Structure formats: C-alpha cells, structure tokens
Amino acid sequence: MSVTKGIAFAAGGVKGATHIAFLERSGDVFDVVTGSSIGAVVGGLYALYGEPALVKDITFSLMKKHFEDLKKTESENTWRGLFQRSLFKADLLFSVLKEAFGRKKFSDCKKTLGVVVFDTENMDSLLVTEGFLIDAVVASSSVPGYFEPIWIGGTPSLDGGVLAPTPVSQARELGADFVVASAFNRERKDGFKNHFEMFFVMDRWKEILLEREELSKADFVVIHDVNEPWNAFDKYEEIYRKALKNLRGVILPW
C-alpha cells in the first residue's frame, strides 16, 4: 500500500531558505504540502511546480530583486507602530509575490496544498485550499504589526505562524499518512531590557510551546540550525549554504 507523504514548512522569514535546501536534499517525494508564512511561499511554489530547483530559482530571485523593499522591515521606527494598526500596506507583499504566483490557483498545483492563515475574527488558524494562491500566501506572510490583514474567506487574516508555526496537523487533515516537519531552532531568551523586549520574549516563548506540541505529531522532524532575524533577507544565500551542509548527515526515512 502506498504511503501519502506530507511536508509541513515552518514560518520564519528568510529562514525559509533552509526549506529549499531540504527540498533539494529530499527530492520530489511529497504528495501533500502545508506551510505558514515563508513556508507558504516555498510550499506554494513546490506544490505548483514540483521542482525543488525551480523553487530555489524563483524564491532567491525574488529575495535578490526585492531586497531593498524587504529590508524596510528591518529599519522601521518602532514607535510608529504604537499609533497605527500596521507599519506597511499589503501592496508591498503583493508586489513581491505577484511575480511568483501571478493568477495561479490552488487547482493549478501538482500537489495537494494547504496554506495556513490566522483568522483574526475567530482567533484561530484557517486552512486555505482553494482560490488564488497569491491571496492566501500574502495573508499567511502578513506578520502581525508589520503588515495589514488580508481578507480571506470573508475574514481579515494574518500570518499563519501566529498559531501554526509548523502546520503538521494541517498536513494530516489533507490526507498525509507520513508527515515531515521542516522547522528551525527557536531560541528562548529569558532576559529583557525594557517592556518592548518583554513583549517579544513572551511571544517567542508562546511560539516555542505551540511548535513543540505540533512537532510531536510529526513522523520525522528536521530542525535547521539558523538564528538570523526573520527579516535579514541579505543573508538568504548564507543560510541556504549552511543548511545544505548540515543536511548532508541527515538520514531520510525513505
């Protein structure tokens, strides 16, 4: 009896370069794909084309071409965010990702794809499996506080990583018998210098706890050793090369 293999790609900005390294290492063996945030970008491209090399070319081309736009998220004044709902309009993400997804729909994919977003009205994760890919991927990539919510399924939605940093359960929901999780080491920082840092530390700790529970449901977990900030997009090649090197010693279960 054939086994339906699923891959769940974690949220993490530029750290998603490690997902591409893992796809190159594993090869095109997955039937079901789920992802949050950058995991939705990489997962969406993989589900659409089924070619790891093409996923790398498109993703890295976007990061290189739009580096200056993406870098804006590093230097934005923190105080500005205290007085408005978001720092950036969704147009920034749409302008970057439209080159990758255009008018493609979920129905155009070669793999079963689920993009996870955070439903801000019901305060729960929402698994998107139909419609235009770009709408779902942009919503899933809309980091809270940085980008405005995107309307999906009649509700304003944000980054899927809010409640599903690595969407393993969603891969099961879509029919995967054997689920591989591609995730990152998310360091816990115990100290903070001010109340701003305190919020970030608390949020990171909640993310770690959520992900621990989700990863326990996977059949095989790959934790990539990467500590760069999510928006350090100038380091995508360095992160990718390091991941490739570290994956050489990984014995895959098939």
Side-chain angles (χ1 to χ4, degrees):
M1 186 175 76
S2 61
V3 175
T4 301
K5 298 186 184 70
I7 177 72
F9 291 118
V14 70
K15 298 177 184 180
T18 62
H19 296 327
I20 297 172
F22 180 69
L23 278 178
E24 290 192 351
R25 174 71 175 82
S26 64
D28 180 20
V29 299
F30 300 105
D31 311 293
V32 174
V33 185
T34 56
S36 293
S37 199
I38 188 63
V41 177
V42 175
L45 288 171
Y46 173 58
L48 189 58
Y49 299 110
E51 300 179 24
L54 185 56
V55 174
K56 174 189 172 184
D57 289 344
I58 295 174
T59 305
F60 286 2
S61 175
L62 291 177
M63 289 184 178
K64 182 178 181 179
K65 182 176 180 180
H66 296 281
F67 168 67
E68 292 302 326
D69 291 327
L70 295 169
K71 193 173 176 62
K72 292 176 184 177
T73 60
E74 291 186 52
S75 57
E76 190 58 47
N77 191 327
T78 303
W79 287 99
R80 181 182 162 198
L82 293 176
F83 305 103
Q84 59 190 59
R85 193 177 186 186
S86 61
L87 295 174
F88 302 98
K89 295 294 185 182
D91 291 349
L92 174 59
L93 288 175
F94 274 109
S95 67
V96 172
L97 294 173
K98 68 180 181 181
E99 297 174 33
F101 296 102
R103 301 291 289 174
K104 296 290 187 180
K105 298 181 179 180
F106 279 81
S107 56
D108 295 316
C109 291
K110 296 180 178 180
K111 316 282 184 179
T112 299
L113 172 66
V115 171
V116 181
V117 303
F118 177 67
D119 179 342
T120 64
E121 286 192 349
N122 295 305
M123 303 300 284
D124 199 1
S125 292
L126 175 66
L127 183 61
V128 184
T129 59
E130 60 184 8
F132 289 104
L133 288 170
I134 190 169
D135 293 336
V137 173
V138 167
S140 187
S141 302
S142 296
V143 180
Y146 282 86
F147 298 101
E148 62 183 347
I150 305 299
W151 285 80
I152 296 289
T155 185
S157 303
L158 285 169
D159 195 322
V162 171
L163 287 183
T166 307
V168 174
S169 296
Q170 286 80 359
R172 297 264 187 226
E173 184 178 336
L174 291 179
D177 302 309
F178 187 96
V179 180
V180 176
S182 178
F184 321 110
N185 57 332
R186 305 186 192 270
E187 289 187 343
R188 171 184 174 182
K189 296 182 179 179
D190 296 308
F192 44 85
K193 298 177 182 178
N194 52 53
H195 67 287
F196 283 113
E197 288 191 4
M198 178 185 69
F199 290 134
F200 287 122
V201 169
M202 296 300 102
D203 186 64
R204 173 58 60 87
W205 182 230
K206 287 187 292 183
E207 182 180 44
I208 290 172
L209 292 178
L210 283 170
E211 190 163 46
R212 281 183 183 176
E213 180 179 357
E214 197 65 11
L215 292 181
S216 70
K217 302 173 185 176
D219 298 289
F220 188 78
V221 178
V222 175
I223 301 294
H224 304 285
D225 182 20
V226 53
N227 298 305
E228 283 75 10
W230 71 270
N231 50 7
F233 288 98
D234 58 325
K235 297 184 177 180
Y236 69 90
E237 287 186 299
E238 175 185 335
I239 293 171
Y240 164 76
R241 288 194 296 269
K242 181 180 178 182
L244 271 183
K245 181 180 179 180
N246 291 340
L247 286 166
R248 290 174 187 168
V250 175
I251 301 175
L252 300 175
W254 56 77

